[in-house]
Amino acid sequence: MSKNKDVLGEEQSGPLMADVAKLAGVAISAVSRALANPGRVNEKTRQKIDAAAKQLGYTPNAMARGLRVGKSNIIMIVLPGSLYYGASQVIPQVLQSINKSLIQGGYNLMIANLDRDEASERHILDLAFGGTVRGAIILSSKLPEVDGRSLASAGLPIVSMLLDMSEAGLPSVVTNDREAIREATNDLIALGHRRFLYLAGPQENYHDVERFAGVIEALRGAGLPDSVVVRSGGRLDYQQGFNIGLEAADDFAALGDKPTAVIATSDDMAISFMSRTQAMGLKIPDDLSIVSFDGSPVCAFCSPPLSTIEQPMEEMGQTAVALLLAAIDRTDQPRQLRNVIRSRLIVRESMTTPKG
């Protein structure tokens, strides 16, 4: 039989809901109600529908199966924006880990948005309030809120990933941004560096606040004034990391007292910065040491290979799913709200002692 559209709008081969309704002698809407909420259909009608469905070998789609028992098996992930995140591939890595863990738990993953404009926010909230999804993982961004409706009030289990919302009572899975950057800065200080250029993400962004604080803590711990680090960027989003790096290279060229080390808060920034400064005639790491954040595999193949702080995406995804499914199952085990998964510094040839 050719593929047709069922009532729920999904393609399906084999008998349709309309066939079940015809055999049972009821309206299609009655079959739909019996799947979505058996309590809304009288017992005699429900039995007729069940018998017809069995006789025809009718199998409702995954959505209908979930609705039939009043429980969706779909988990939505709310993205901070576009899937494209340059070389760092943070979002694809997160999606892969979460999807794998959800499948193992018997759930399916839905990408709720590819933007965060008002229309996308409304769509996310419609999914949450309409019963389409069973829970939500929100990635590196605040909860959607439009016209007084907020994802927080949808009655869904929610886990935040890569943004700490634990103080608001939301289970959160984060990495140790501040500590990781502090340790990398300490390593640069130990190599003899005393002047730094910091490539920043958007100002007041959670990650930028944490990472810059790590730099300052390392400097103060070494007895160095805050003035030895120059900030570049702060206007563009992390998704525009390549542009941030290019602008930072121009900022570097304009400085009179040149830094000897660069701390980039994403691999994209570091890669474009390194490319432009090398085109200016600088040698990495002889003239300038560089360390970045994210742990993209491409860093190993840069010239020279780029030192980077690798985020534990797979473990973070597994932890986020475990927290969410525990909330769905309402397990009695105590769960901590703030869950920190440690990143690790991978030291490569882009770091060395400064000249002179």
Side-chain angles (χ1 to χ4, degrees):
M1 184 179 291
S2 62
K3 288 185 177 180
N4 296 285
K5 293 278 187 179
D6 209 335
V7 168
L8 291 175
E10 294 199 354
E11 284 191 341
Q12 168 168 325
S13 59
L16 298 177
M17 194 180 289
D19 300 323
V20 175
K22 183 176 180 180
L23 182 61
V26 299
I28 296 176
S29 59
V31 178
S32 179
R33 283 196 302 274
L35 289 171
N37 192 342
R40 294 177 59 198
V41 180
N42 68 59
E43 183 63 16
K44 183 177 179 180
T45 301
R46 189 187 64 76
Q47 288 179 0
K48 286 168 63 177
I49 292 170
D50 285 349
K54 289 177 182 177
Q55 182 177 330
L56 292 171
Y58 174 74
T59 303
N61 56 43
M63 178 77 74
R65 283 197 299 273
L67 291 173
R68 183 173 58 188
V69 294
K71 296 178 180 178
S72 167
N73 70 339
I74 296 174
I75 302 299
M76 73 172 172
I77 185 164
V78 178
L79 302 179
S82 168
L83 278 171
Y84 175 74
Y85 247 71
S88 60
Q89 295 294 293
V90 168
I91 289 181
Q93 289 180 54
V94 169
L95 291 175
Q96 184 177 28
S97 174
I98 289 174
N99 186 57
K100 182 179 178 181
S101 297
L102 284 175
I103 289 173
Q104 291 172 347
Y107 288 84
N108 295 314
L109 178 65
M110 170 192 288
I111 297 174
N113 65 302
L114 290 176
D115 208 338
R116 290 301 294 268
D117 56 13
E118 186 173 324
S120 299
E121 302 289 275
R122 291 184 187 279
H123 176 65
I124 293 165
L125 293 172
D126 287 344
L127 291 172
F129 282 89
T132 302
V133 299
R134 189 79 178 279
I137 295 174
I138 182 161
L139 181 63
S140 194
S141 54
K142 295 182 179 180
L143 298 178
E145 185 172 340
V146 178
D147 296 336
R149 283 198 309 171
S150 171
L151 188 61
S153 58
L156 289 176
I158 303 170
V159 171
S160 174
M161 186 171 172
L162 288 173
L163 177 62
D164 188 0
M165 295 194 205
S166 58
E167 290 188 0
L170 204 65
S172 302
V173 181
V174 296
T175 188
N176 58 330
D177 288 37
R178 183 181 301 209
E179 181 185 5
I181 286 283
R182 184 174 68 238
E183 291 177 355
T185 306
N186 281 332
D187 284 356
L188 290 169
I189 293 171
L191 287 170
H193 294 280
R194 296 295 182 269
R195 297 188 306 278
F196 304 86
L197 179 65
Y198 174 86
L199 276 55
Q203 207 163 18
E204 297 184 5
N205 174 277
Y206 166 77
H207 299 294
D208 187 68
V209 169
E210 286 293 300
R211 294 170 191 177
F212 190 66
V215 173
I216 296 301
E217 287 178 3
L219 296 179
R220 292 177 180 176
L224 297 172
D226 297 357
S227 58
V228 300
V229 59
V230 176
R231 284 177 61 96
S232 175
R235 297 182 298 103
L236 300 178
D237 188 82
Y238 283 107
Q239 289 186 327
Q240 301 180 65
F242 289 132
N243 289 331
I244 294 173
L246 294 176
E247 290 182 3
D250 293 337
D251 290 343
F252 174 85
L255 290 173
D257 197 10
K258 294 285 193 293
T260 61
V262 172
I263 301 162
T265 53
S266 82
D267 292 336
D268 291 355
M269 299 176 194
I271 289 169
S272 60
F273 177 90
M274 188 162 63
S275 175
R276 176 157 289 186
T277 52
Q278 286 176 324
M280 293 174 179
L282 275 77
K283 294 181 180 179
I284 310 296
D286 292 343
D287 298 323
L288 194 60
S289 287
I290 303 177
V291 63
S292 64
F293 202 106
D294 280 333
S296 169
V298 75
C299 291
F301 303 98
C302 291
S303 181
L306 182 61
S307 298
T308 182
I309 296 167
E310 182 182 58
Q311 297 196 72
M313 290 304 171
E314 184 170 358
E315 188 177 353
M316 292 179 77
Q318 292 170 350
T319 302
V321 170
L323 286 169
L324 187 66
L325 298 190
I328 290 173
D329 296 337
R330 299 180 184 276
T331 59
D332 295 329
Q333 293 182 343
R335 288 170 286 129
Q336 62 186 59
L337 290 177
R338 188 171 188 267
N339 301 266
V340 181
I341 314 297
R342 291 178 58 84
S343 295
R344 69 185 184 104
L345 174 62
I346 302 173
V347 178
R348 298 194 177 104
E349 286 90 328
S350 68
M351 292 168 55
T352 191
T353 56
K355 283 184 177 180

